[in-house]
Amino acid sequence: VVAALARLDPHSVYLPPVELTESEDQLAGNFEGIGITFNVPNDTAVVLGVIPGGPSEKAGLMQGDRIIRVDERVIAGTKTPQDSMVRMMKGPSGSKVKITVNRDGTLIPFNITRAKIPVHCIDAAFMIDDTTGYIKLSKFTRTTSKEFTQASEKLLKQGMTRLLFDLRDNSGGYFDQSLLLSNEFLQKGD
């Protein structure tokens, strides 16, 4: 195995089975859970954002909320690994989870019904001026080709004749989707 890994190109990476499953959930274009992004800077999960239209936004969770408990389990200040926190919050659509947060010193419980969370790969698509469109692509998910086609068609209708295609900080993903996208820009044999 080590010899095989040593021969990977610089754009390939080995993922252990657990990480592969999580990565595939993200790249598949949807996963089931409560619809938040969070970080754990000092042994407490802090909500970085709620996915628009997702269960957490509907329940009232907000950026900056500090997650204290998931159901009855205290996860703040207990050295709970971040991947364990994710597993506790994820779950099948329709199942319920109680998230208790600290918001400005007040403990607030939220009863959240998990749902299918759409994961979009296009972060932005708009016209910079009358003829120049801008599309930012964050990763190559199962829906990348479809999302790019929809975004570019919308911009073409708005008068786009040139495109600024932003791939900075793109985290990679499915090769077949990147290949399909390259067909939009390259002629046969390029």
Side-chain angles (χ1 to χ4, degrees), residues 7 12-13 20 32 36 42 51 63 77 85 120 132 134 137 153 168:
R7 300 176 69 136
S12 297
V13 57
L20 176 63
E32 295 177 335
I36 62 169
N42 293 308
I51 295 172
Q63 181 179 5
M85 294 179 187
H120 298 289
T132 309
Y134 173 86
L137 184 75
E153 283 175 356
R168 291 174 298 174

Side-chain angles (χ1 to χ4, degrees), residues 67-123:
I67 302 174
I68 305 302
R69 284 194 300 269
V70 177
D71 288 323
E72 297 309 315
R73 181 168 171 190
V74 175
I75 63 167
T78 57
K79 305 266 188 265
T80 304
Q82 188 163 342
D83 60 341
S84 296
M85 294 179 187
V86 170
R87 279 195 295 276
M88 283 186 261
M89 290 183 232
K90 271 187 173 182
S93 289
S95 63
K96 297 185 185 308
V97 64
K98 182 178 176 184
I99 304 289
T100 303
V101 305
N102 179 335
R103 181 182 295 166
D104 300 324
T106 303
L107 288 182
I108 307 170
F110 293 93
N111 292 304
I112 301 173
T113 303
R114 297 178 180 103
K116 200 171 273 287
I117 310 298
V119 178
H120 298 289
C121 60
I122 291 185
D123 291 342

Side-chain angles (χ1 to χ4, degrees), residues 33-50:
I34 64 170
I36 62 169
T37 56
F38 68 90
N39 197 4
V40 189
N42 293 308
D43 203 20
T44 301
V46 179
V47 177
L48 298 177
V50 292

Side-chain angles (χ1 to χ4, degrees), residues 119-151:
V119 178
H120 298 289
C121 60
I122 291 185
D123 291 342
F126 57 86
M127 294 296 290
I128 294 173
D129 58 32
D130 290 344
T131 57
T132 309
Y134 173 86
I135 295 177
K136 172 143 180 55
L137 184 75
S138 61
K139 55 189 162 283
F140 292 96
T141 68
R142 259 301 149 234
T143 58
T144 291
S145 179
K146 183 172 129 192
E147 285 186 51
F148 178 83
T149 299
Q150 290 170 344

